[in-house]
Structure formats: structure tokens, C-alpha cells
């Protein structure tokens, strides 16, 4: 799996792009927003926040945060706004 946090050079886009089908991408607590969205998801992955609350993906009024095509994505412990 991949680890991502809001303070490192890793971001969700990079973690998803570098993932393999079946990977679990663990996202650290923080607010994720800006130009990283929409994230293109083209592999079967699980994206999970590492805390029950406090992992927020803010699309800043975008119509799409994740662009999922032809794959299955599981989301857990994330807030999408």
C-alpha cells in the first residue's frame, strides 16, 4: 500500500498513480484540497483515512473529487465536501 499525508511531498494523486490493483492507500489526517482534484482512479484500490474523522477531501465546489472509470474503489473514514 501507499502512505500519504498533507505535509509530505506525496499527495493522493501520486499515491493513486503509483498504486497497483488491490492496494490500500492510507491517508493521514488533514485537509486535502486544490489542484490535486479530480484524482484519476484507474485501478481497483481502497482509500482509507488513518483516523475515524479528520481526513477531509475538499473539492472546492468542483463537481468531481474522484474520477473513477471501469474499476472498483472502496472509500473508508473519509469526508468528501
Amino acid at each position: 500500500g501507499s502512505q500519504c499525508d498533507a505535509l509530505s511531498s506525496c499527495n493522493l494523486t501520486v499515491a493513486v498513480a503509483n498504486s497497483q490493483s488491490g492496494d490500500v492507500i492510507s491517508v493521514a489526517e488533514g485537509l486535502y484540497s486544490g489542484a490535486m482534484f479530480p484524482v484519476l482512479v484507474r485501478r481497483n484500490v481502497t482509500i482509507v483515512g488513518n483516523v475515524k474523522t479528520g481526513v477531509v477531501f475538499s473539492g472546492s465546489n468542483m463537481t468531481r473529487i474522484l474520477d473513477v472509470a471501469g474499476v472498483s474503489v472502496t472509500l473508508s473514514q473519509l469526508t468528501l465536501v
Side-chain angles (χ1 to χ4, degrees), residues 35-55:
M36 72 183 327
F37 296 118
V39 175
L40 302 178
V41 183
R42 300 297 185 261
R43 293 177 184 83
N44 298 323
V45 295
T46 297
I47 302 172
V48 60
N50 69 355
V51 294
K52 285 195 178 223
T53 60
V55 180

